[in-house]
Amino acid sequence: MITAAPPKTRPWALPLVCLGAALLYAWKIGDGQLGNTYYSAAVKSMTGSFTDFLFGSFDPYGVVTVDKPPMALWPQALSVLAFGYHGWALLLPQVLEGVAAVFLLHRTVRIWAGENVALLAAAILALTPVTVIINRDNNPDTLLVLFLVAAAYALTRALRDGRHWLWWCAFFVGCGFLTKMLQAWIIVPALVAAYLAGTKGPLKRRLLDVLGAGLVLVVSSFWWIALYDWWPGAKPYMGGSEDGSAWDLVFGYNGFGRLSGDGEGGGMMIMRDGQQTMSSFGGDPGPGRMFNDLVGGQISWLLPLCLLVLVVLGRRWRDAGWLLWGGWLLVTTVVFSSAGGIWHPYYTTAMAPAVAAVSAAGLALLWRRHRRTLLPAVVALTAAWAFVLASRDTSFYGWTRWAVIGTAVVAIAWLVVAPDRRALVATLVPLLLTPAVWSYAAARSTSAGTLPAAGPATGPGAPPPLSPGGPRPRIMLSGGDGTATLSDEQRRILDYARRAGTEITLAVNAEAGAVAPYLIDSDATVIGMGGFGGRDNAPSVTQLDRWLAEGQLRFVLSGAGPRPGPPPSPAQAERQRWIEGHCTAVDPAAYGGGGPDTLYRCR
């Protein structure tokens, strides 16, 4: 362990960092922004009944769940129950979780590397662009990061205070699993290596400790999975699964399918000038993914510094702290870089705590041992990479590239000529200036939405550039484009369907993004057909037959013609045949229609 008691007590420093983080994460979060409408709609539905809350139902009738365990949505639903359904009530838990992660990272690094390094690590995490934008959204990644940092804190305490903290470490990773499934387990090798290297005693004893923690990990990860699969009563279909089981979701769509692809591409279909094209979410898998145009501006600002530090560690790799944070960073980078399935740039927020800890501790190490040699080289390398990133779109705070170069030259000269503490402070300016500006820009944004991304509007999550003179491309995203309000025609459709007085006012045969406005902007009982991507067997044709026979359903809204994108799933095709066989189109004049979607009356 690095040991360093703080030379001076600065009781104001950590509160100041946390306050700054809170301002970045909370600024204007209620300004018409509901985050990812897929999850926002589900949160509203979850407040309707205990079963819908427990299992994370997407719709108020309990037909299908979201495609993840609902751990991250529970705080949001409780906030909505307490304060009402508003944007700030949805996003307030995310702000609190983000600030808590900054605070807890400080407490963790402080045990390992001292107060100054801990403060710098906390500030770096707070100023990471992707972390700012994701903490202003309601995706589950914010809570995942908090649980992973909590696991690192418990592991660090276990090295000092005993094995019972190792069990808490395993428990927090299990909570992360119930937030975003197998992604939480990526850091387990680093945790195990750090514990084995950082504790004394017989190897057998340490291995038994790890096995005991493994048991805690399994129980805390799978209790909800078992609860869902063994639930004796009615429950929503498990969204994203092939057979309706949570077990299938864990190891299929949200597990190994994310690594192998397994038929699910890591991109989005785009209609441009009437032609379908594929635009990748995170770029092609490979060693350069973390640095490409889509991902680089989210997380890679300090990756050159981190990689150089990890290379020069030498025997210090035997230190438990370096194994923990360096292992976390390396393993996560390798997994993310090689993932061939659905992978979004904002997933990299899970790397941010490790980047912050390695960067802060690495700078301290270089300052102590290589302040005239390697440290100036690191400043030059990091400034050059910031210049490259900022140059990719000079209309977005392009001035920072020249500011970074200028401050880097000053810092390098200062380090070489007179490497005092003021020179060390000066080195932080070129390292953190551009990510801090991007974080400021993210804090001013109110459009995180389905694909949150920091940086210019041409970054990940933004529509591609328009064709010269052509119409705006249509993005077909199952999660929706952030639209949370109904159009006038959609309201007329819903009002017309209400007149039937059925238990289910309307079934929308479309991806979740098209269904979400009906759930968010009305109190009618509307259901989506097929879950997130419209491909799930929910509702099944057996359910549809029963609802029709019992008079629970009369109207279905569906698009005309084949859908763009991949071929329909068997359940999707069977549902379409049911609609064609049991329903007839309603004359648009009856409800004032005329749009691309067709309202069907089923008999």
Side-chain angles (χ1 to χ4, degrees), residues 13-14 16-18 20-21 24-25 101-103 105-106 109 115-129 131-132 302 352 356-357 360 428 432 435-436 439:
L14 179 59
L16 188 62
V17 171
C18 291
L24 287 171
Y25 305 159
V102 170
F103 173 83
L105 179 67
H106 170 273
V109 175
E115 177 69 10
N116 292 335
V117 173
L119 285 172
L120 180 56
I124 292 173
L125 176 61
L127 292 175
T128 301
T131 298
V132 174
L302 298 179
L428 299 179
L432 301 180
S439 294

PDB file of all heavy atoms in Angstrom, residues 13-14 16-18 20-21 24-25 101-103 105-106 109 115-129 131-132 302 352 356-357 360 428 432 435-436 439:
ATOM      1  N   ALA A  13     -11.883  20.920   1.377  1.00  0.00           N
ATOM      2  CA  ALA A  13     -11.557  20.509   0.010  1.00  0.00           C
ATOM      3  C   ALA A  13     -12.539  19.479  -0.536  1.00  0.00           C
ATOM      4  O   ALA A  13     -13.076  19.643  -1.640  1.00  0.00           O
ATOM      5  CB  ALA A  13     -10.130  19.962  -0.031  1.00  0.00           C
ATOM      6  N   LEU A  14     -12.785  18.410   0.217  1.00  0.00           N
ATOM      7  CA  LEU A  14     -13.699  17.379  -0.274  1.00  0.00           C
ATOM      8  C   LEU A  14     -15.119  17.905  -0.425  1.00  0.00           C
ATOM      9  O   LEU A  14     -15.766  17.642  -1.458  1.00  0.00           O
ATOM     10  CB  LEU A  14     -13.656  16.150   0.634  1.00  0.00           C
ATOM     11  CG  LEU A  14     -14.604  15.011   0.223  1.00  0.00           C
ATOM     12  CD1 LEU A  14     -14.285  14.529  -1.182  1.00  0.00           C
ATOM     13  CD2 LEU A  14     -14.503  13.862   1.225  1.00  0.00           C
ATOM     14  N   LEU A  16     -15.962  20.817  -1.198  1.00  0.00           N
ATOM     15  CA  LEU A  16     -15.943  21.667  -2.382  1.00  0.00           C
ATOM     16  C   LEU A  16     -15.995  20.828  -3.656  1.00  0.00           C
ATOM     17  O   LEU A  16     -16.718  21.171  -4.610  1.00  0.00           O
ATOM     18  CB  LEU A  16     -14.683  22.532  -2.374  1.00  0.00           C
ATOM     19  CG  LEU A  16     -14.602  23.625  -3.441  1.00  0.00           C
ATOM     20  CD1 LEU A  16     -15.729  24.633  -3.251  1.00  0.00           C
ATOM     21  CD2 LEU A  16     -13.244  24.322  -3.389  1.00  0.00           C
ATOM     22  N   VAL A  17     -15.241  19.739  -3.693  1.00  0.00           N
ATOM     23  CA  VAL A  17     -15.273  18.850  -4.860  1.00  0.00           C
ATOM     24  C   VAL A  17     -16.669  18.250  -5.036  1.00  0.00           C
ATOM     25  O   VAL A  17     -17.212  18.206  -6.153  1.00  0.00           O
ATOM     26  CB  VAL A  17     -14.216  17.739  -4.719  1.00  0.00           C
ATOM     27  CG1 VAL A  17     -14.389  16.685  -5.819  1.00  0.00           C
ATOM     28  CG2 VAL A  17     -12.807  18.320  -4.772  1.00  0.00           C
ATOM     29  N   CYS A  18     -17.268  17.801  -3.937  1.00  0.00           N
ATOM     30  CA  CYS A  18     -18.609  17.203  -4.016  1.00  0.00           C
ATOM     31  C   CYS A  18     -19.655  18.238  -4.430  1.00  0.00           C
ATOM     32  O   CYS A  18     -20.585  17.927  -5.191  1.00  0.00           O
ATOM     33  CB  CYS A  18     -18.984  16.573  -2.673  1.00  0.00           C
ATOM     34  SG  CYS A  18     -18.021  15.096  -2.256  1.00  0.00           S
ATOM     35  N   GLY A  20     -19.064  20.855  -6.319  1.00  0.00           N
ATOM     36  CA  GLY A  20     -18.867  21.056  -7.748  1.00  0.00           C
ATOM     37  C   GLY A  20     -19.480  19.942  -8.570  1.00  0.00           C
ATOM     38  O   GLY A  20     -20.113  20.182  -9.612  1.00  0.00           O
ATOM     39  N   ALA A  21     -19.310  18.697  -8.100  1.00  0.00           N
ATOM     40  CA  ALA A  21     -19.922  17.569  -8.798  1.00  0.00           C
ATOM     41  C   ALA A  21     -21.442  17.686  -8.803  1.00  0.00           C
ATOM     42  O   ALA A  21     -22.099  17.449  -9.824  1.00  0.00           O
ATOM     43  CB  ALA A  21     -19.489  16.260  -8.138  1.00  0.00           C
ATOM     44  N   LEU A  24     -22.567  20.192 -11.390  1.00  0.00           N
ATOM     45  CA  LEU A  24     -22.453  19.659 -12.742  1.00  0.00           C
ATOM     46  C   LEU A  24     -23.562  18.659 -13.046  1.00  0.00           C
ATOM     47  O   LEU A  24     -24.104  18.628 -14.160  1.00  0.00           O
ATOM     48  CB  LEU A  24     -21.093  18.990 -12.928  1.00  0.00           C
ATOM     49  CG  LEU A  24     -19.873  19.901 -13.030  1.00  0.00           C
ATOM     50  CD1 LEU A  24     -18.590  19.073 -13.001  1.00  0.00           C
ATOM     51  CD2 LEU A  24     -19.923  20.740 -14.307  1.00  0.00           C
ATOM     52  N   TYR A  25     -23.904  17.832 -12.071  1.00  0.00           N
ATOM     53  CA  TYR A  25     -24.870  16.773 -12.312  1.00  0.00           C
ATOM     54  C   TYR A  25     -26.316  17.256 -12.219  1.00  0.00           C
ATOM     55  O   TYR A  25     -27.208  16.678 -12.850  1.00  0.00           O
ATOM     56  CB  TYR A  25     -24.673  15.630 -11.314  1.00  0.00           C
ATOM     57  CG  TYR A  25     -23.266  15.050 -11.260  1.00  0.00           C
ATOM     58  CD1 TYR A  25     -22.823  14.340 -10.149  1.00  0.00           C
ATOM     59  CD2 TYR A  25     -22.376  15.216 -12.319  1.00  0.00           C
ATOM     60  CE1 TYR A  25     -21.538  13.814 -10.084  1.00  0.00           C
ATOM     61  CE2 TYR A  25     -21.090  14.704 -12.266  1.00  0.00           C
ATOM     62  CZ  TYR A  25     -20.675  14.009 -11.140  1.00  0.00           C
ATOM     63  OH  TYR A  25     -19.403  13.507 -11.079  1.00  0.00           O
ATOM     64  N   ALA A 101     -20.608   8.590  -5.352  1.00  0.00           N
ATOM     65  CA  ALA A 101     -19.473   7.877  -5.943  1.00  0.00           C
ATOM     66  C   ALA A 101     -18.194   8.714  -5.855  1.00  0.00           C
ATOM     67  O   ALA A 101     -17.112   8.188  -5.568  1.00  0.00           O
ATOM     68  CB  ALA A 101     -19.775   7.514  -7.400  1.00  0.00           C
ATOM     69  N   VAL A 102     -18.309  10.021  -6.099  1.00  0.00           N
ATOM     70  CA  VAL A 102     -17.155  10.906  -5.973  1.00  0.00           C
ATOM     71  C   VAL A 102     -16.631  10.899  -4.535  1.00  0.00           C
ATOM     72  O   VAL A 102     -15.429  10.774  -4.287  1.00  0.00           O
ATOM     73  CB  VAL A 102     -17.524  12.340  -6.406  1.00  0.00           C
ATOM     74  CG1 VAL A 102     -16.408  13.326  -6.058  1.00  0.00           C
ATOM     75  CG2 VAL A 102     -17.820  12.380  -7.898  1.00  0.00           C
ATOM     76  N   PHE A 103     -17.550  11.033  -3.572  1.00  0.00           N
ATOM     77  CA  PHE A 103     -17.162  11.030  -2.166  1.00  0.00           C
ATOM     78  C   PHE A 103     -16.499   9.707  -1.774  1.00  0.00           C
ATOM     79  O   PHE A 103     -15.447   9.688  -1.122  1.00  0.00           O
ATOM     80  CB  PHE A 103     -18.400  11.273  -1.294  1.00  0.00           C
ATOM     81  CG  PHE A 103     -18.144  11.135   0.177  1.00  0.00           C
ATOM     82  CD1 PHE A 103     -17.615  12.188   0.909  1.00  0.00           C
ATOM     83  CD2 PHE A 103     -18.431   9.950   0.845  1.00  0.00           C
ATOM     84  CE1 PHE A 103     -17.370  12.060   2.269  1.00  0.00           C
ATOM     85  CE2 PHE A 103     -18.192   9.809   2.195  1.00  0.00           C
ATOM     86  CZ  PHE A 103     -17.660  10.869   2.912  1.00  0.00           C
ATOM     87  N   LEU A 105     -15.083   7.450  -3.684  1.00  0.00           N
ATOM     88  CA  LEU A 105     -13.780   7.257  -4.327  1.00  0.00           C
ATOM     89  C   LEU A 105     -12.692   7.969  -3.525  1.00  0.00           C
ATOM     90  O   LEU A 105     -11.598   7.423  -3.327  1.00  0.00           O
ATOM     91  CB  LEU A 105     -13.812   7.792  -5.764  1.00  0.00           C
ATOM     92  CG  LEU A 105     -12.477   7.664  -6.513  1.00  0.00           C
ATOM     93  CD1 LEU A 105     -12.130   6.207  -6.770  1.00  0.00           C
ATOM     94  CD2 LEU A 105     -12.510   8.451  -7.828  1.00  0.00           C
ATOM     95  N   HIS A 106     -12.990   9.166  -3.057  1.00  0.00           N
ATOM     96  CA  HIS A 106     -12.016   9.882  -2.221  1.00  0.00           C
ATOM     97  C   HIS A 106     -11.674   9.074  -0.986  1.00  0.00           C
ATOM     98  O   HIS A 106     -10.500   8.914  -0.635  1.00  0.00           O
ATOM     99  CB  HIS A 106     -12.581  11.244  -1.822  1.00  0.00           C
ATOM    100  CG  HIS A 106     -11.751  11.942  -0.775  1.00  0.00           C
ATOM    101  ND1 HIS A 106     -11.930  11.727   0.583  1.00  0.00           N
ATOM    102  CD2 HIS A 106     -10.726  12.835  -0.890  1.00  0.00           C
ATOM    103  CE1 HIS A 106     -11.052  12.449   1.250  1.00  0.00           C
ATOM    104  NE2 HIS A 106     -10.317  13.135   0.399  1.00  0.00           N
ATOM    105  N   VAL A 109      -9.415   5.971  -2.064  1.00  0.00           N
ATOM    106  CA  VAL A 109      -8.044   6.296  -2.474  1.00  0.00           C
ATOM    107  C   VAL A 109      -7.265   6.890  -1.304  1.00  0.00           C
ATOM    108  O   VAL A 109      -6.047   6.690  -1.192  1.00  0.00           O
ATOM    109  CB  VAL A 109      -8.078   7.253  -3.684  1.00  0.00           C
ATOM    110  CG1 VAL A 109      -6.670   7.705  -4.051  1.00  0.00           C
ATOM    111  CG2 VAL A 109      -8.750   6.575  -4.875  1.00  0.00           C
ATOM    112  N   GLU A 115      -4.329  11.878   1.298  1.00  0.00           N
ATOM    113  CA  GLU A 115      -5.367  12.885   1.077  1.00  0.00           C
ATOM    114  C   GLU A 115      -5.211  13.611  -0.255  1.00  0.00           C
ATOM    115  O   GLU A 115      -6.194  13.811  -0.974  1.00  0.00           O
ATOM    116  CB  GLU A 115      -5.340  13.888   2.235  1.00  0.00           C
ATOM    117  CG  GLU A 115      -6.322  15.033   2.092  1.00  0.00           C
ATOM    118  CD  GLU A 115      -7.761  14.616   2.234  1.00  0.00           C
ATOM    119  OE1 GLU A 115      -8.022  13.460   2.639  1.00  0.00           O
ATOM    120  OE2 GLU A 115      -8.645  15.447   1.936  1.00  0.00           O
ATOM    121  N   ASN A 116      -4.007  14.034  -0.585  1.00  0.00           N
ATOM    122  CA  ASN A 116      -3.831  14.820  -1.804  1.00  0.00           C
ATOM    123  C   ASN A 116      -4.179  14.015  -3.051  1.00  0.00           C
ATOM    124  O   ASN A 116      -4.862  14.513  -3.961  1.00  0.00           O
ATOM    125  CB  ASN A 116      -2.398  15.343  -1.897  1.00  0.00           C
ATOM    126  CG  ASN A 116      -2.094  16.384  -0.837  1.00  0.00           C
ATOM    127  OD1 ASN A 116      -2.996  17.054  -0.348  1.00  0.00           O
ATOM    128  ND2 ASN A 116      -0.830  16.507  -0.469  1.00  0.00           N
ATOM    129  N   VAL A 117      -3.720  12.790  -3.113  1.00  0.00           N
ATOM    130  CA  VAL A 117      -4.049  11.927  -4.246  1.00  0.00           C
ATOM    131  C   VAL A 117      -5.549  11.656  -4.285  1.00  0.00           C
ATOM    132  O   VAL A 117      -6.171  11.645  -5.354  1.00  0.00           O
ATOM    133  CB  VAL A 117      -3.256  10.608  -4.168  1.00  0.00           C
ATOM    134  CG1 VAL A 117      -3.712   9.631  -5.242  1.00  0.00           C
ATOM    135  CG2 VAL A 117      -1.766  10.880  -4.310  1.00  0.00           C
ATOM    136  N   ALA A 118      -6.153  11.443  -3.118  1.00  0.00           N
ATOM    137  CA  ALA A 118      -7.587  11.164  -3.059  1.00  0.00           C
ATOM    138  C   ALA A 118      -8.406  12.341  -3.569  1.00  0.00           C
ATOM    139  O   ALA A 118      -9.394  12.164  -4.298  1.00  0.00           O
ATOM    140  CB  ALA A 118      -7.993  10.814  -1.631  1.00  0.00           C
ATOM    141  N   LEU A 119      -8.012  13.557  -3.186  1.00  0.00           N
ATOM    142  CA  LEU A 119      -8.726  14.745  -3.654  1.00  0.00           C
ATOM    143  C   LEU A 119      -8.614  14.892  -5.171  1.00  0.00           C
ATOM    144  O   LEU A 119      -9.595  15.219  -5.855  1.00  0.00           O
ATOM    145  CB  LEU A 119      -8.181  15.994  -2.967  1.00  0.00           C
ATOM    146  CG  LEU A 119      -8.595  16.205  -1.511  1.00  0.00           C
ATOM    147  CD1 LEU A 119      -7.816  17.373  -0.905  1.00  0.00           C
ATOM    148  CD2 LEU A 119     -10.097  16.465  -1.420  1.00  0.00           C
ATOM    149  N   LEU A 120      -7.421  14.647  -5.697  1.00  0.00           N
ATOM    150  CA  LEU A 120      -7.236  14.742  -7.141  1.00  0.00           C
ATOM    151  C   LEU A 120      -8.063  13.675  -7.862  1.00  0.00           C
ATOM    152  O   LEU A 120      -8.688  13.960  -8.890  1.00  0.00           O
ATOM    153  CB  LEU A 120      -5.756  14.604  -7.483  1.00  0.00           C
ATOM    154  CG  LEU A 120      -5.406  14.696  -8.976  1.00  0.00           C
ATOM    155  CD1 LEU A 120      -5.913  16.002  -9.575  1.00  0.00           C
ATOM    156  CD2 LEU A 120      -3.902  14.543  -9.173  1.00  0.00           C
ATOM    157  N   ALA A 121      -8.077  12.450  -7.330  1.00  0.00           N
ATOM    158  CA  ALA A 121      -8.873  11.386  -7.946  1.00  0.00           C
ATOM    159  C   ALA A 121     -10.353  11.750  -7.954  1.00  0.00           C
ATOM    160  O   ALA A 121     -11.058  11.547  -8.955  1.00  0.00           O
ATOM    161  CB  ALA A 121      -8.648  10.069  -7.208  1.00  0.00           C
ATOM    162  N   ALA A 122     -10.854  12.278  -6.830  1.00  0.00           N
ATOM    163  CA  ALA A 122     -12.261  12.671  -6.757  1.00  0.00           C
ATOM    164  C   ALA A 122     -12.567  13.769  -7.771  1.00  0.00           C
ATOM    165  O   ALA A 122     -13.619  13.749  -8.439  1.00  0.00           O
ATOM    166  CB  ALA A 122     -12.604  13.138  -5.346  1.00  0.00           C
ATOM    167  N   ALA A 123     -11.656  14.746  -7.912  1.00  0.00           N
ATOM    168  CA  ALA A 123     -11.877  15.835  -8.865  1.00  0.00           C
ATOM    169  C   ALA A 123     -11.867  15.319 -10.301  1.00  0.00           C
ATOM    170  O   ALA A 123     -12.685  15.741 -11.129  1.00  0.00           O
ATOM    171  CB  ALA A 123     -10.809  16.908  -8.681  1.00  0.00           C
ATOM    172  N   ILE A 124     -10.963  14.382 -10.614  1.00  0.00           N
ATOM    173  CA  ILE A 124     -10.908  13.825 -11.961  1.00  0.00           C
ATOM    174  C   ILE A 124     -12.200  13.082 -12.285  1.00  0.00           C
ATOM    175  O   ILE A 124     -12.765  13.225 -13.375  1.00  0.00           O
ATOM    176  CB  ILE A 124      -9.687  12.904 -12.119  1.00  0.00           C
ATOM    177  CG1 ILE A 124      -8.398  13.726 -12.070  1.00  0.00           C
ATOM    178  CG2 ILE A 124      -9.753  12.118 -13.416  1.00  0.00           C
ATOM    179  CD1 ILE A 124      -7.130  12.894 -12.041  1.00  0.00           C
ATOM    180  N   LEU A 125     -12.692  12.277 -11.335  1.00  0.00           N
ATOM    181  CA  LEU A 125     -13.946  11.578 -11.567  1.00  0.00           C
ATOM    182  C   LEU A 125     -15.086  12.563 -11.790  1.00  0.00           C
ATOM    183  O   LEU A 125     -15.905  12.401 -12.699  1.00  0.00           O
ATOM    184  CB  LEU A 125     -14.274  10.662 -10.388  1.00  0.00           C
ATOM    185  CG  LEU A 125     -15.620   9.927 -10.467  1.00  0.00           C
ATOM    186  CD1 LEU A 125     -15.677   9.023 -11.698  1.00  0.00           C
ATOM    187  CD2 LEU A 125     -15.863   9.111  -9.197  1.00  0.00           C
ATOM    188  N   ALA A 126     -15.147  13.602 -10.971  1.00  0.00           N
ATOM    189  CA  ALA A 126     -16.222  14.586 -11.096  1.00  0.00           C
ATOM    190  C   ALA A 126     -16.184  15.292 -12.438  1.00  0.00           C
ATOM    191  O   ALA A 126     -17.234  15.696 -12.957  1.00  0.00           O
ATOM    192  CB  ALA A 126     -16.129  15.603  -9.966  1.00  0.00           C
ATOM    193  N   LEU A 127     -14.991  15.446 -13.025  1.00  0.00           N
ATOM    194  CA  LEU A 127     -14.829  16.206 -14.260  1.00  0.00           C
ATOM    195  C   LEU A 127     -14.722  15.319 -15.500  1.00  0.00           C
ATOM    196  O   LEU A 127     -14.402  15.824 -16.588  1.00  0.00           O
ATOM    197  CB  LEU A 127     -13.585  17.088 -14.169  1.00  0.00           C
ATOM    198  CG  LEU A 127     -13.644  18.243 -13.171  1.00  0.00           C
ATOM    199  CD1 LEU A 127     -12.304  18.950 -13.089  1.00  0.00           C
ATOM    200  CD2 LEU A 127     -14.742  19.228 -13.555  1.00  0.00           C
ATOM    201  N   THR A 128     -14.973  14.026 -15.378  1.00  0.00           N
ATOM    202  CA  THR A 128     -14.935  13.149 -16.551  1.00  0.00           C
ATOM    203  C   THR A 128     -16.187  13.383 -17.387  1.00  0.00           C
ATOM    204  O   THR A 128     -17.302  13.222 -16.886  1.00  0.00           O
ATOM    205  CB  THR A 128     -14.850  11.677 -16.125  1.00  0.00           C
ATOM    206  OG1 THR A 128     -13.671  11.482 -15.329  1.00  0.00           O
ATOM    207  CG2 THR A 128     -14.796  10.765 -17.334  1.00  0.00           C
ATOM    208  N   PRO A 129     -16.050  13.774 -18.654  1.00  0.00           N
ATOM    209  CA  PRO A 129     -17.228  14.157 -19.438  1.00  0.00           C
ATOM    210  C   PRO A 129     -18.331  13.109 -19.481  1.00  0.00           C
ATOM    211  O   PRO A 129     -19.505  13.429 -19.296  1.00  0.00           O
ATOM    212  CB  PRO A 129     -16.642  14.425 -20.830  1.00  0.00           C
ATOM    213  CG  PRO A 129     -15.238  14.872 -20.564  1.00  0.00           C
ATOM    214  CD  PRO A 129     -14.791  14.046 -19.384  1.00  0.00           C
ATOM    215  N   THR A 131     -19.001  10.809 -17.390  1.00  0.00           N
ATOM    216  CA  THR A 131     -19.622  10.659 -16.072  1.00  0.00           C
ATOM    217  C   THR A 131     -20.600  11.790 -15.809  1.00  0.00           C
ATOM    218  O   THR A 131     -21.690  11.569 -15.254  1.00  0.00           O
ATOM    219  CB  THR A 131     -18.532  10.614 -14.992  1.00  0.00           C
ATOM    220  OG1 THR A 131     -17.708   9.469 -15.216  1.00  0.00           O
ATOM    221  CG2 THR A 131     -19.143  10.532 -13.610  1.00  0.00           C
ATOM    222  N   VAL A 132     -20.253  12.989 -16.207  1.00  0.00           N
ATOM    223  CA  VAL A 132     -21.179  14.112 -16.029  1.00  0.00           C
ATOM    224  C   VAL A 132     -22.464  13.876 -16.800  1.00  0.00           C
ATOM    225  O   VAL A 132     -23.565  14.014 -16.264  1.00  0.00           O
ATOM    226  CB  VAL A 132     -20.516  15.433 -16.471  1.00  0.00           C
ATOM    227  CG1 VAL A 132     -21.524  16.575 -16.431  1.00  0.00           C
ATOM    228  CG2 VAL A 132     -19.324  15.751 -15.579  1.00  0.00           C
ATOM    229  N   LEU A 302      -7.284  10.927 -20.305  1.00  0.00           N
ATOM    230  CA  LEU A 302      -6.142  10.594 -19.456  1.00  0.00           C
ATOM    231  C   LEU A 302      -5.659   9.157 -19.643  1.00  0.00           C
ATOM    232  O   LEU A 302      -4.801   8.689 -18.901  1.00  0.00           O
ATOM    233  CB  LEU A 302      -6.497  10.830 -17.982  1.00  0.00           C
ATOM    234  CG  LEU A 302      -6.852  12.276 -17.618  1.00  0.00           C
ATOM    235  CD1 LEU A 302      -7.217  12.380 -16.133  1.00  0.00           C
ATOM    236  CD2 LEU A 302      -5.713  13.228 -17.952  1.00  0.00           C
ATOM    237  N   ALA A 352     -14.284   5.183 -15.383  1.00  0.00           N
ATOM    238  CA  ALA A 352     -13.883   6.491 -14.862  1.00  0.00           C
ATOM    239  C   ALA A 352     -13.260   6.442 -13.467  1.00  0.00           C
ATOM    240  O   ALA A 352     -12.258   7.129 -13.228  1.00  0.00           O
ATOM    241  CB  ALA A 352     -15.074   7.444 -14.893  1.00  0.00           C
ATOM    242  N   ALA A 356      -9.471   7.734 -12.811  1.00  0.00           N
ATOM    243  CA  ALA A 356      -9.206   8.794 -11.835  1.00  0.00           C
ATOM    244  C   ALA A 356      -8.160   8.356 -10.818  1.00  0.00           C
ATOM    245  O   ALA A 356      -7.221   9.105 -10.504  1.00  0.00           O
ATOM    246  CB  ALA A 356     -10.508   9.195 -11.140  1.00  0.00           C
ATOM    247  N   ALA A 357      -8.303   7.152 -10.275  1.00  0.00           N
ATOM    248  CA  ALA A 357      -7.372   6.679  -9.251  1.00  0.00           C
ATOM    249  C   ALA A 357      -5.975   6.463  -9.816  1.00  0.00           C
ATOM    250  O   ALA A 357      -4.966   6.869  -9.204  1.00  0.00           O
ATOM    251  CB  ALA A 357      -7.904   5.381  -8.635  1.00  0.00           C
ATOM    252  N   ALA A 360      -4.370   9.945 -10.706  1.00  0.00           N
ATOM    253  CA  ALA A 360      -3.951  10.723  -9.537  1.00  0.00           C
ATOM    254  C   ALA A 360      -2.738  10.098  -8.861  1.00  0.00           C
ATOM    255  O   ALA A 360      -1.750  10.782  -8.555  1.00  0.00           O
ATOM    256  CB  ALA A 360      -5.115  10.831  -8.552  1.00  0.00           C
ATOM    257  N   LEU A 428      -1.453  20.267 -13.899  1.00  0.00           N
ATOM    258  CA  LEU A 428      -2.848  19.820 -13.911  1.00  0.00           C
ATOM    259  C   LEU A 428      -3.686  20.594 -14.913  1.00  0.00           C
ATOM    260  O   LEU A 428      -4.720  20.085 -15.382  1.00  0.00           O
ATOM    261  CB  LEU A 428      -3.458  19.961 -12.512  1.00  0.00           C
ATOM    262  CG  LEU A 428      -2.792  19.154 -11.397  1.00  0.00           C
ATOM    263  CD1 LEU A 428      -3.494  19.418 -10.075  1.00  0.00           C
ATOM    264  CD2 LEU A 428      -2.803  17.678 -11.728  1.00  0.00           C
ATOM    265  N   LEU A 432      -6.356  18.665 -17.431  1.00  0.00           N
ATOM    266  CA  LEU A 432      -7.777  18.658 -17.082  1.00  0.00           C
ATOM    267  C   LEU A 432      -8.598  19.743 -17.758  1.00  0.00           C
ATOM    268  O   LEU A 432      -9.835  19.736 -17.638  1.00  0.00           O
ATOM    269  CB  LEU A 432      -7.941  18.791 -15.563  1.00  0.00           C
ATOM    270  CG  LEU A 432      -7.293  17.703 -14.708  1.00  0.00           C
ATOM    271  CD1 LEU A 432      -7.539  17.968 -13.229  1.00  0.00           C
ATOM    272  CD2 LEU A 432      -7.836  16.333 -15.089  1.00  0.00           C
ATOM    273  N   PRO A 435     -11.237  18.310 -20.754  1.00  0.00           N
ATOM    274  CA  PRO A 435     -12.342  17.527 -20.181  1.00  0.00           C
ATOM    275  C   PRO A 435     -13.210  18.340 -19.241  1.00  0.00           C
ATOM    276  O   PRO A 435     -14.420  18.117 -19.162  1.00  0.00           O
ATOM    277  CB  PRO A 435     -11.636  16.370 -19.467  1.00  0.00           C
ATOM    278  CG  PRO A 435     -10.194  16.720 -19.407  1.00  0.00           C
ATOM    279  CD  PRO A 435      -9.935  17.650 -20.536  1.00  0.00           C
ATOM    280  N   ALA A 436     -12.617  19.296 -18.523  1.00  0.00           N
ATOM    281  CA  ALA A 436     -13.428  20.143 -17.644  1.00  0.00           C
ATOM    282  C   ALA A 436     -14.382  21.011 -18.458  1.00  0.00           C
ATOM    283  O   ALA A 436     -15.555  21.190 -18.093  1.00  0.00           O
ATOM    284  CB  ALA A 436     -12.525  21.020 -16.777  1.00  0.00           C
ATOM    285  N   SER A 439     -17.127  18.871 -19.720  1.00  0.00           N
ATOM    286  CA  SER A 439     -18.044  18.561 -18.621  1.00  0.00           C
ATOM    287  C   SER A 439     -18.970  19.740 -18.349  1.00  0.00           C
ATOM    288  O   SER A 439     -20.170  19.564 -18.084  1.00  0.00           O
ATOM    289  CB  SER A 439     -17.254  18.200 -17.363  1.00  0.00           C
ATOM    290  OG  SER A 439     -16.539  16.990 -17.542  1.00  0.00           O
TER     291      SER A 439
END
